[in-house]
Amino acid sequence: MMLIPTHHFRDIERKPEYLQPEKCAPPPFPGPVGTMWFIRDGCGIACAIVTWFLVLYAEFVVLFVMLIPSRDYAYSIINGIVFNLLAFLALASHCRAMLTDPGAVPKGNATKEFIESLQLKPGQVVYKCPKCCSIKPDRAHHCSVCKRCIRKMDHHCPWVNNCVGENNQKYFVLFTMYIALISLHALIMVGFHFLHCFEEDWTKCSSFSPPTTVILLILLCFEALLFLIFTSVMFGTQVHSICTDETGIERLQRSKQPREQSGSWKSVQEAFGGEFSLNWFNPFTRPCQPEIPIDKGLVRQVSSLSNMDNVETAEGQLEETKDRDPVEEDQVQCELCHIRAGGSGWCKKT
């Protein structure tokens, strides 16, 4: 159960609908454990295909332009093994991040029967998502692309065609790390290859013509530099989010809705899977997270101190927003609904 102050109302949806629990269809029967998760989004699928194409392009240039034509066999073998291993781990991490359920809340569980089964006590409330008709746990957010509420949702990434959430954040971190590493490795090899070609005849340093070789190397250099910067920044922000136990959405909401941060080494272990080991860097091992109870984080306690003062404040704000944007009025009305619900209810609008 989560204890929250009366002024702390998070996840108020924009332009919510007035949904009743009777209108929520029962949730579908849960599929077997390990069922593949895939988001049918055109933009996300296109971005995922582009990601694979760019990695395979880098593979082509590294192998057939730089390593295979090289006369230094030790240099070619060592760099070929390292680059291909990192590329394989990057693509494997990408697949796991894309095809793993990020922590979706059961859809359509905001039924009358389920709400009654929670046996709400005085001062307890539950939050309902009007878009997917589900009871929204604490720190869950609705994704308009996945059309589901996601536990500890950080953001929706089109490059992996999925949300980054509680269950797949490890794979996303590994994906950004391995892409940054192969980008750095490719940049170093391109630099050495240019120096080698300048010192020797261009016709001998590649199996392609000199103009084609230059174009392929410049394109790879531009791609590697761009993705090195992008993935390094993403990797840093994700590691910071895990260490501070604060998602990207929560960081954006911090100024308006401050929350107590509880980041620790334990949160890092939960994200990557137990004590530090090589499995942290293995995209084929799952984070050792305990099974989530069906009602975890659903019921939250509203402090009753100065409840009437908060009601009056909310009513005053509602009157002030009569002539403003209707979305703002909806938000204030929603807060008022939660305050008044105090003892028994759940708000129809969240």
Side-chain angles (χ1 to χ4, degrees):
M1 184 183 303
M2 183 63 60
L3 181 63
I4 58 175
T6 51
H7 69 276
H8 188 98
F9 300 105
R10 43 182 304 282
D11 300 343
I12 298 175
E13 302 290 348
R14 310 289 289 182
K15 298 183 179 179
E17 301 173 0
Y18 291 84
L19 295 180
Q20 302 290 341
E22 292 80 3
K23 295 184 180 181
C24 290
F29 187 78
V33 178
T35 301
M36 187 179 70
W37 170 278
F38 184 75
I39 301 300
R40 296 177 178 84
D41 175 58
C43 176
I45 294 174
C47 288
I49 293 175
V50 169
T51 301
W52 275 68
F53 171 78
L54 293 175
V55 174
L56 294 178
Y57 170 77
E59 280 273 3
F60 170 78
V61 176
V62 168
L63 290 178
F64 296 99
V65 177
M66 293 189 288
L67 297 183
I68 293 180
S70 176
R71 298 176 182 177
D72 190 341
Y73 297 109
Y75 172 86
S76 298
I77 292 175
I78 294 174
N79 282 281
I81 292 175
V82 172
F83 187 85
N84 281 278
L85 177 61
L86 293 176
F88 171 76
L89 292 173
L91 294 179
S93 301
H94 182 271
C95 286
R96 293 303 300 271
M98 181 171 59
L99 302 179
T100 300
D101 181 351
V105 177
K107 192 174 184 179
N109 67 348
T111 60
K112 183 178 180 181
E113 293 76 12
F114 182 73
I115 295 173
E116 291 177 349
S117 70
L118 297 177
Q119 299 179 349
L120 298 179
K121 298 177 183 179
Q124 292 181 350
V125 294
V126 295
Y127 289 75
K128 175 185 175 183
C129 177
K131 298 178 181 179
C132 60
C133 207
S134 63
I135 300 299
K136 182 182 294 186
D138 184 52
R139 304 185 68 183
H141 301 270
H142 184 87
C143 175
S144 58
V145 179
C146 297
K147 296 179 174 59
R148 298 287 291 274
C149 284
I150 308 297
R151 291 179 180 268
K152 291 182 68 175
M153 174 182 169
D154 187 88
H155 68 286
H156 183 92
C157 179
W159 296 106
V160 298
N161 189 34
N162 201 1
C163 278
V164 177
E166 189 174 60
N167 295 339
N168 68 342
Q169 191 172 28
K170 169 190 173 179
Y171 308 129
F172 183 76
V173 171
L174 292 181
F175 168 66
T176 57
M177 182 184 72
Y178 288 128
I179 290 294
L181 289 177
I182 65 173
S183 299
L184 178 62
H185 191 195
L187 280 174
I188 295 174
M189 286 191 291
V190 167
F192 279 114
H193 197 74
F194 266 121
L195 291 176
H196 174 70
C197 291
F198 281 129
E199 292 176 355
E200 296 189 6
D201 190 356
W202 277 85
T203 58
K204 296 180 180 180
C205 69
S206 175
S207 55
F208 295 89
S209 64
T212 303
T213 301
V214 172
I215 293 175
L216 292 175
L217 291 177
I218 290 178
L219 289 177
L220 176 61
C221 186
F222 176 77
E223 173 195 341
L225 182 61
L226 179 65
F227 277 91
L228 174 61
I229 297 173
F230 176 72
T231 55
S232 297
V233 172
M234 289 301 301
F235 175 77
T237 57
Q238 288 299 302
V239 171
H240 179 266
S241 295
I242 294 174
C243 293
T244 59
D245 193 25
E246 183 181 47
T247 66
I249 294 177
E250 291 167 349
R251 187 164 56 252
L252 293 174
Q253 295 177 340
R254 184 193 306 164
S255 58
K256 295 182 179 180
Q257 300 172 347
R259 59 178 293 271
E260 181 181 355
Q261 297 184 14
S262 58
S264 64
W265 181 248
K266 183 179 178 181
S267 62
V268 179
Q269 292 176 327
E270 290 178 353
F272 287 95
E275 296 292 336
F276 177 79
S277 67
L278 290 178
N279 285 331
W280 280 25
F281 308 98
N282 184 0
F284 299 101
T285 59
R286 295 175 59 87
C288 57
Q289 295 176 338
E291 184 177 351
I292 301 175
I294 191 173
D295 59 345
K296 179 184 177 181
L298 298 183
V299 179
R300 281 169 269 182
Q301 185 77 29
V302 177
S303 57
S304 58
L305 298 176
S306 66
N307 223 11
M308 293 304 298
D309 293 339
N310 285 319
V311 170
E312 293 175 359
T313 301
E315 287 177 340
Q317 292 177 350
L318 180 60
E319 291 297 328
E320 293 176 0
T321 55
K322 291 293 185 180
D323 300 326
R324 297 187 203 167
D325 184 1
V327 174
E328 297 181 13
E329 182 177 342
D330 280 343
Q331 292 182 351
V332 177
Q333 179 67 54
C334 198
E335 294 184 5
L336 182 60
C337 178
H338 275 289
I339 296 172
R340 286 175 170 168
S344 60
W346 58 283
C347 182
K348 299 177 182 178
K349 299 181 65 181
T350 56

